Amino acid sequence: MERNKICIERELRSKSAGIIWSLMSTPEGLAKWFADEVKRDGDTFVFTWGNVWSHHEVRTADIIDKKAFDYIRLRWSEMEYNDTYLELKMNKSDITGDYILTITDYAPDGDTAVLEDIWDANMEALHRSTGL
């Protein structure tokens, strides 16, 4: 099955590199907007969506590359495509001085709109939980 690369950019209302890096690279930060629960064991994140005592989904991802205060790149353990990844990257806007979060992800054929909707919902959760 073919995978389609998507890139989503969202300007965040923060000039703090530390805050943005924490939101994209720590279990506590990711649990505010990406998954309901996040744990880390070395270079592996365990993400849980939903309540663990009822219907839920658990997925693991390994850190395949990162540069502090720049980007983190993950590969889902269950993925059959080794050339796909999830990347969260932070860039500073030259105009506003705020940080921009760039998300690179891959969607199966026909699911690009669904994946974009999921990321829009994640960004809404980020805004609700942090104000960014």
Side-chain angles (χ1 to χ4, degrees):
M1 183 182 296
E2 190 68 27
R3 298 272 180 185
N4 300 304
K5 184 177 182 178
I6 63 167
C7 290
I8 298 168
E9 288 187 355
R10 296 291 188 271
E11 187 165 353
L12 306 175
R13 292 181 212 128
S14 178
K15 294 176 178 20
S16 170
I19 289 172
I20 304 304
W21 181 247
S22 174
L23 288 170
M24 52 190 266
S25 67
T26 68
E28 300 80 18
L30 288 163
K32 291 182 180 185
W33 67 283
F34 185 72
D36 296 313
E37 182 180 297
V38 182
K39 295 180 182 176
R40 185 172 174 182
D41 183 14
D43 282 345
T44 301
F45 282 103
V46 179
F47 299 98
T48 304
W49 292 271
N51 298 318
V52 293
W53 57 86
S54 65
H55 179 72
H56 66 281
E57 179 182 355
V58 177
R59 294 184 69 194
T60 60
D62 297 317
I63 299 171
I64 56 172
D65 198 8
K66 76 175 180 178
K67 182 177 178 185
F69 301 98
D70 189 2
Y71 68 91
I72 186 165
R73 188 176 289 176
L74 307 171
R75 177 164 296 126
W76 295 110
S77 302
E78 306 84 16
M79 293 299 284
E80 58 208 51
Y81 301 96
N82 289 331
D83 58 341
T84 65
Y85 55 87
L86 166 64
E87 182 180 82
L88 306 173
K89 184 171 178 55
M90 55 189 283
N91 295 298
K92 195 165 196 171
S93 169
D94 293 334
I95 297 169
T96 66
D98 288 335
Y99 277 92
I100 297 167
L101 177 61
T102 303
I103 300 158
T104 303
D105 202 352
Y106 291 82
D109 272 343
D111 286 345
T112 301
V114 171
L115 188 59
E116 288 173 348
D117 288 345
I118 290 170
W119 280 112
D120 285 343
N122 287 344
M123 296 311 295
E124 289 280 327
L126 177 63
H127 180 68
R128 279 192 313 276
S129 68
T130 66
L132 300 180

